[in-house]
Amino acid sequence: MTAGGGGGAGGVTSGKKRQRSGSYSRLSSTIGIIDSSRPDNTLTERTQKTSGIRRTASHTFIAPSSSAAVSRGFNDSATADVVLRLFVDQLPLFDTDDSESISAVDSDQSDVQIYLHSDVLCRSKYFATLVSDRWQKESNDVDSGNSSRIFRLNLGVPATPGSIDHHLAVLQLLYTNDFSTTIHNVSVALCLLPVALELIFEDCIKACVRFLEAVPWAEDEERKILSIVPLLSKEESQELLARVSIDKIDSSEQMLHGLILSALHNHPNMAFAKAFVAKLLRDFSSKEAAKRVLDGAFQSSLKIVKESLEEYSSPDFRGDHNEIEAIQRLNLHTAMTNGRHLVWLVERMIELRVADTAVQEWSNQAAFTADLLRALRDDAWRNIVPGLPAVVLRCTCKLSNAVATGTILATRQVRMKIVKDWLPVLILCKDYATPMMPSHKTIYVELEDTFLRIISTLPLSDAQELLQQCLSFSTRNVEDCPHLISAFTTWFRRANRFPLPDM
């Protein structure tokens, strides 16, 4: 087990949760090694040579013992009944993907001896089980030459950076209930938690987990946390997992749908919110999910526009003049507002190349275009929503252009219907609308050209019917309508071609 929490796992790995009760099954696979092969005189020599913790300059988690050590404190040789040797194994027992390379550790710098107390060590279930099993019998692990028995243990630690430090820090925490002083950032918690799990030190485990639950994580820290989660119990990992995963399969779509609705309807800085959501849509991992969300928002806005224009063009209410006028103004404003939403949604759908459903829907709007024509023939809209024709035609132009350019591959029926249903609206807007602003004129000309290009993809009989309606595209100066001339020229050239022989 690496002291830094190990790998760069991108998600929660499956595996059996750690067992820390009953038979303590983790003891058989722990890093800890009990070594009774060292003779007693070797222990005596090491004890005489070591007045404090042998450590390298890199040991940063705890300070060396001082001459003023508290009675029965950590590393108090005068009262200790356990001598623990920490040493670095040459090879870690677990693989690690940590980007920090594992440095070769000189043997003289990787061997630490400390003095501990068996009753304190029992806070660790690992040591509690170990001592209870072996304390019952005389063995070479007990220095019987002293007036009181001294228990000798060896614990191997992984050959990873800081491993000795991390074990020393956890061992020192056995002597205190104040974990907050030591566990003060995510890096420390991630270093200590694997050791606490190894030694089954429940209080330290809880302290590390509580800290990790309460603070933000960097991306690399999140990966390390997810690699440790399988070792935690379900209760311990619940809050950690809740931050990075969710039970609902469609939660991402619900989140994206909510963001779109907020950007369109609720956010005060609508332009900034729309720009931000547009970026999220571009970067969204699932194109199909983005399509479903956009299709739903498109259908919702289109329904509101259609219902508003239907109520405006065929009112079904009674009241005095002022009430009726207020309701009609509201209907037009509602249609205008949601028409703008439609333009933005269509732009996002075309950008992501997921506008095929919107094209089909827009090509099947005979009732909607009929209501729109009735509304536009009434002069009332001119003073209420003068930009309404441009908004509706902008949607039509963008969807039609996606068809004409092949961005959306539409069937013959769809190509035919989108021109047939929307051509009368274009003609009415151009002929009867208020004097065109330069931007409106650009929309009209662009949509004319787009319709003519779509007509060129249809069979000659269908094209003949539609081209006759396009005669209104002509202007006083024939040179101003080259798109119309080109369309008729193409049709006549094809119509005058000799029939092709049967194949």
Side-chain angles (χ1 to χ4, degrees):
M1 173 179 284
T2 61
V12 179
T13 58
S14 61
K16 188 176 181 180
K17 294 286 185 180
R18 179 176 51 85
Q19 301 295 322
R20 299 203 296 271
S21 60
S23 63
Y24 307 124
S25 59
R26 276 180 51 81
L27 294 178
S28 62
S29 61
T30 183
I31 299 284
I33 300 171
I34 304 303
D35 183 3
S36 60
S37 64
R38 296 175 61 87
D40 288 349
N41 60 346
T42 305
L43 172 63
T44 305
E45 290 174 3
R46 297 193 69 84
T47 304
Q48 292 171 348
K49 290 179 182 179
T50 308
S51 60
I53 298 175
R54 294 182 56 200
R55 59 198 300 280
T56 68
S58 65
H59 294 167
T60 58
F61 275 90
I62 61 175
S65 296
S66 66
S67 58
V70 179
S71 177
R72 288 183 53 77
F74 177 75
N75 201 37
D76 179 9
S77 60
T79 60
D81 61 350
V82 175
V83 179
L84 176 65
R85 171 183 170 246
L86 294 176
F87 64 94
V88 174
D89 285 340
Q90 291 304 307
L91 293 176
L93 296 186
F94 297 91
D95 294 334
T96 177
D97 295 327
D98 201 326
S99 59
E100 184 178 6
S101 62
I102 300 177
S103 305
V105 182
D106 184 77
S107 60
D108 188 53
Q109 297 176 320
S110 59
D111 198 309
V112 176
Q113 183 172 285
I114 52 176
Y115 298 89
L116 304 169
H117 303 81
S118 58
D119 58 334
V120 176
L121 285 179
C122 285
R123 293 186 70 186
S124 157
K125 292 183 180 179
Y126 168 75
F127 285 118
T129 303
L130 184 67
V131 171
S132 65
D133 287 343
R134 297 174 64 88
W135 202 267
Q136 304 296 327
K137 60 184 180 178
E138 294 292 335
S139 71
N140 290 334
D141 298 328
V142 178
D143 188 351
S144 58
N146 296 333
S147 59
S148 61
R149 295 184 299 181
I150 297 177
F151 197 59
R152 175 167 52 85
L153 303 175
N154 293 329
L155 181 62
V157 303
T160 54
S163 186
I164 290 286
D165 275 329
H166 307 154
H167 282 74
L168 289 173
V170 172
L171 290 170
Q172 190 172 19
L173 287 173
L174 289 166
Y175 285 78
T176 181
N177 287 318
D178 181 15
F179 296 99
S180 60
T181 302
T182 301
I183 305 171
H184 54 80
N185 61 51
V186 175
S187 178
V188 171
L190 287 175
C191 289
L192 301 189
L193 181 54
V195 181
L197 287 165
E198 172 194 337
L199 302 180
I200 318 181
F201 183 8
E202 298 287 356
D203 291 338
C204 187
I205 292 168
K206 291 176 182 177
C208 291
V209 170
R210 280 199 302 267
F211 185 88
L212 293 174
E213 288 173 354
V215 299
W217 310 328
E219 186 175 353
D220 60 327
E221 293 169 343
E222 181 173 311
R223 288 196 297 268
K224 291 179 180 180
I225 290 169
L226 291 176
S227 72
I228 297 174
V229 159
L231 301 177
L232 299 172
S233 68
K234 182 178 180 180
E235 293 74 19
E236 290 167 340
S237 62
Q238 185 174 5
E239 290 296 323
L240 299 176
L241 290 176
R243 189 190 296 194
V244 297
S245 63
I246 195 166
D247 294 334
K248 296 179 180 179
I249 298 176
D250 59 348
S251 59
S252 294
E253 293 184 31
Q254 292 178 1
M255 178 66 165
L256 196 56
H257 178 70
L259 290 173
I260 289 175
L261 292 182
S262 181
L264 293 179
H265 301 287
N266 301 327
H267 204 277
N269 296 322
M270 189 175 294
F272 298 142
K274 283 182 176 180
F276 180 78
V277 174
K279 184 183 187 310
L280 289 180
L281 286 166
R282 288 193 296 271
D283 298 339
F284 200 65
S285 57
S286 173
K287 184 176 179 180
E288 287 301 316
K291 172 179 167 54
R292 286 192 293 270
V293 173
L294 287 169
D295 282 345
F298 176 85
Q299 292 283 358
S300 178
S301 292
L302 178 58
K303 181 181 179 182
I304 295 174
V305 174
K306 291 166 62 175
E307 289 176 349
S308 299
L309 284 176
E310 181 180 5
E311 291 180 10
Y312 177 82
S313 60
S314 303
D316 187 22
F317 45 81
R318 293 180 176 84
D320 61 38
H321 177 75
N322 291 334
E323 290 178 351
I324 294 174
E325 184 179 359
I327 294 174
Q328 292 293 66
R329 292 175 70 90
L330 178 61
N331 285 330
L332 286 178
H333 279 296
T334 301
M336 181 68 177
T337 300
N338 284 273
R340 291 195 181 109
H341 298 338
L342 280 175
V343 173
W344 184 83
L345 291 168
V346 166
E347 289 173 346
R348 303 288 73 75
M349 298 166 94
I350 293 173
E351 182 180 35
L352 298 178
R353 303 178 74 91
V354 294
D356 47 326
T357 302
V359 167
Q360 293 178 16
E361 189 71 23
W362 204 255
S363 68
N364 191 29
Q365 296 300 328
F368 175 35
T369 55
D371 289 334
L372 184 59
L373 289 172
R374 282 194 294 270
L376 294 178
R377 290 190 179 100
D378 182 358
D379 290 341
W381 65 267
R382 299 175 187 270
N383 297 322
I384 303 172
V385 286
L388 179 61
V391 167
V392 176
L393 290 183
R394 190 172 287 114
C395 272
T396 308
C397 187
K398 291 181 180 297
L399 291 172
S400 299
N401 191 59
V403 172
T405 59
T407 302
I408 301 298
L409 300 180
T411 64
R412 167 189 168 184
Q413 181 180 7
V414 169
R415 299 196 307 272
M416 174 76 174
K417 285 282 291 177
I418 201 169
V419 176
K420 187 173 183 178
D421 286 354
W422 288 97
L423 182 57
V425 177
L426 171 61
I427 294 172
L428 179 68
C429 290
K430 183 178 179 181
D431 293 345
Y432 298 103
T434 55
M436 292 184 294
M437 299 171 60
S439 59
H440 292 181
K441 183 176 181 180
T442 301
I443 295 172
Y444 296 146
V445 174
E446 182 179 357
L447 187 52
E448 286 177 0
D449 181 62
T450 302
F451 277 169
L452 291 172
R453 284 185 290 141
I454 293 175
I455 289 172
S456 72
T457 70
L458 300 175
L460 286 177
S461 57
D462 294 335
Q464 178 179 353
E465 176 187 349
L466 294 174
L467 277 176
Q468 291 178 6
Q469 301 177 47
C470 293
L471 191 59
S472 61
F473 295 174
S474 61
T475 62
R476 182 178 301 176
N477 188 346
V478 177
E479 296 178 356
D480 288 342
C481 50
H483 53 302
L484 186 60
I485 294 174
S486 175
F488 276 103
T489 300
T490 299
W491 188 90
F492 279 114
R493 185 186 72 247
R494 292 173 176 175
N496 291 329
R497 181 175 287 117
F498 290 109
L500 295 175
D502 294 336
M503 300 298 292

